[in-house]
Amino acid sequence: MQITFLKAILLTKGVTIDGSARSEIWSGRWKAPRMVRSGMSGGLEFYLVLGGYKVAVSCLYSLETDDEGLVIIHDGQKFYLSFKGEIVCEVELVPQPSYYALSTTSGKKMASVAQQCFTKLAVGVYGSCALNQSPKTACAFCAIHAAKKTDSPNKSDDEIFETVHAVADSELGNHIDIIMLGGGTPNTPDKGAKRFASLSVRLKKIVPWRVTAMLVPPKSATDLRRLHDAGVKEVSINLEFGSDKAFAQFTPGKAGLIGRRRYFDCLEEAVKIFGAGNVQSLLVTGLEPMDETLWAVDWLAERGIIPVLSPFRPLPFTLLEKECPPEVNDVLSLYFEARKVVASHKMFLGPRCAPCQCNTMALPWDVPNSFIT
Ligand code: SF4
């Protein structure tokens, strides 16, 4: 099977963990699967090893037998992906980071302060979200409220820096190359930009990692400039959908309290400040007609903004938990059409960091060498 096809299956249908692999996966040697809170990192993380490539994947997993799906097995030495009893390729799990066993001096598990996602350290700075407090404003696909055990709310800056120091001093010190600040939207006009900027200034003094931030549009472009001046190299401002209808239906808080117009304006402001190829925007795919998503891909790419295709995942504890994931063929059709659209603007599908593509429909070869970080 081709890697592209495999990845589309894994992102939509997930994988079954066979009995032969369970005790090894949860042996403490490997990074155990985590709660998935949105389209972001979580679930089971591994590399597909096929055709000379190592492709990062993070997907939902099940322990139920599924004779029609992809299965992870273990032969006593290595993990493999199999389909109907035939081995498809080897998979490599991610070793359990040593800092996951540590706690901050305040007593918080460092694993709940910042999580390793392949070569990225993800810091959910707030670990909670003002929009998620009510079904009237929550993004319908987001489970941030249910992830408190694994992603602590109310992290202090001291806890974040203690954890960053522990990661930098660990075996991951030379492995991590990106730190992403995000994790929920505070109820302030800057939408977290001021805190992200102050964290970035301190981070730049202690780690060489590329600092990125994910946030909803702050009220004013001044806050985007503040992030840039603080050393943030890349921002994610997620348009989520191509149509006004889907945006209002599935992200009612963003539609009602921030407004679609502000998203468009903010993305254009961001690309002026950070430069083409340094702003990305995630699109949830499979909840609206393909043409609508492709319209957004075109709008973004035309402006030098990197579109990111994130196939919808019906997560437990979300308003859409009973929805079906998109069909594999639809995910693939959209991916191939979107590639043509971005190419017509001399752009590419992101994220630009290959391991960060783990839960998005993009492959390492989509990103031109000049943009690989
Ligand atoms: S803004 Fe939406 S997706 Fe982001 S944390 Fe809040 S509810 Fe979740």
Side-chain angles (χ1 to χ4, degrees):
M1 280 193 212
Q2 285 186 344
I3 290 188
T4 308
F5 187 49
L6 277 179
K7 187 165 182 190
I9 298 175
L10 289 165
L11 292 190
T12 50
K13 301 195 178 307
V15 69
T16 296
I17 300 176
D18 181 62
S20 64
R22 283 179 210 165
S23 57
E24 181 62 22
I25 286 180
W26 277 279
S27 65
R29 278 194 284 277
W30 309 105
K31 196 163 168 261
R34 295 173 64 87
M35 163 91 196
V36 181
R37 70 174 164 80
S38 64
M40 224 185 88
S41 53
L44 182 65
E45 293 173 10
F46 53 87
Y47 287 100
L48 294 172
V49 186
L50 185 63
Y53 288 99
K54 275 176 67 168
V55 172
V57 176
S58 143
C59 69
L60 297 176
Y61 69 93
S62 164
L63 303 180
E64 313 259 320
T65 306
D66 175 6
D67 294 335
E68 296 300 313
L70 292 165
V71 182
I72 289 202
I73 61 171
H74 191 255
D75 71 351
Q77 292 195 315
K78 291 181 174 182
F79 293 100
Y80 296 92
L81 200 61
S82 86
F83 181 67
K84 296 192 173 181
E86 298 282 324
I87 287 182
V88 178
C89 67
E90 187 183 337
V91 296
E92 278 180 16
L93 268 70
V94 178
Q96 173 82 337
S98 60
Y99 84 92
Y100 272 25
L102 305 178
S103 298
T104 62
T105 45
S106 61
K108 230 167 236 176
K109 283 285 218 186
M110 288 188 181
S112 76
V113 176
Q115 294 90 40
Q116 179 204 359
C117 172
F118 297 97
T119 55
K120 175 172 77 183
L121 191 69
V123 186
V125 173
Y126 294 97
S128 64
C129 177
L131 299 183
N132 199 256
Q133 305 302 313
S134 153
K136 287 187 182 153
T137 53
C139 300
F141 44 78
C142 177
I144 191 169
H145 55 283
K148 288 181 187 152
K149 274 192 191 154
T150 51
D151 189 16
S152 166
N154 310 318
K155 296 165 190 122
S156 70
D157 287 5
D158 285 349
E159 288 165 341
I160 291 171
F161 279 100
E162 207 180 340
T163 304
V164 166
H165 276 293
V167 176
D169 291 343
S170 76
E171 75 285 0
L172 293 178
N174 293 324
H175 183 68
I176 297 290
D177 52 21
I178 291 185
I179 181 163
M180 194 192 78
L181 307 174
T185 299
N187 195 12
T188 54
D190 69 294
K191 306 301 180 202
K194 286 182 182 159
R195 187 160 175 214
F196 292 167
S198 117
L199 289 170
S200 177
V201 168
R202 283 180 66 185
L203 284 167
K204 300 298 291 175
K205 291 182 184 151
I206 56 173
V207 283
W209 310 331
R210 182 177 167 91
V211 181
T212 69
M214 182 180 284
L215 72 171
V216 303
K219 201 159 186 185
S220 134
T222 309
D223 285 314
L224 295 177
R225 172 68 58 192
R226 189 192 307 280
L227 287 171
H228 178 269
D229 294 350
V232 173
K233 291 287 182 225
E234 180 186 309
V235 285
S236 297
I237 297 162
N238 300 330
L239 192 55
E240 313 284 13
F241 296 100
S243 73
D244 295 353
K245 185 174 164 227
F247 188 72
Q249 181 179 352
F250 300 116
T251 56
K254 290 176 176 174
L257 300 173
I258 298 167
R260 186 98 159 137
R261 183 70 254 160
R262 179 67 196 126
Y263 268 82
F264 290 125
D265 291 346
C266 182
L267 281 160
E268 290 187 320
E269 290 161 5
V271 83
K272 278 189 201 139
I273 292 169
F274 290 88
N278 292 317
V279 180
Q280 68 174 31
S281 191
L282 192 145
L283 299 166
V284 180
T285 74
L287 289 174
E288 65 179 351
M290 188 165 109
D291 285 357
E292 308 275 16
T293 311
L294 286 172
W295 178 86
V297 169
D298 186 62
W299 189 91
L300 294 165
E302 189 180 11
R303 287 158 178 79
I305 301 162
I306 307 167
V308 177
L309 304 179
S310 177
F312 163 65
R313 294 175 171 188
L315 301 180
F317 313 112
T318 66
L319 298 168
L320 296 178
E321 66 179 336
K322 294 203 164 47
E323 283 289 312
C324 293
E327 293 296 330
V328 174
N329 283 342
D330 292 342
V331 168
L332 285 169
S333 300
L334 177 61
Y335 167 68
F336 288 119
E337 286 303 313
R339 287 180 86 205
K340 287 186 214 159
V341 173
V342 290
S344 72
H345 296 297
K346 298 193 169 34
M347 283 292 292
F348 55 93
L349 292 175
R352 53 192 274 167
C353 144
C356 302
Q357 295 172 344
C358 61
N359 56 359
T360 68
M361 203 51 217
L363 279 304
W365 46 86
D366 282 319
V367 182
N369 281 339
S370 54
F371 280 97
I372 290 175
T373 52

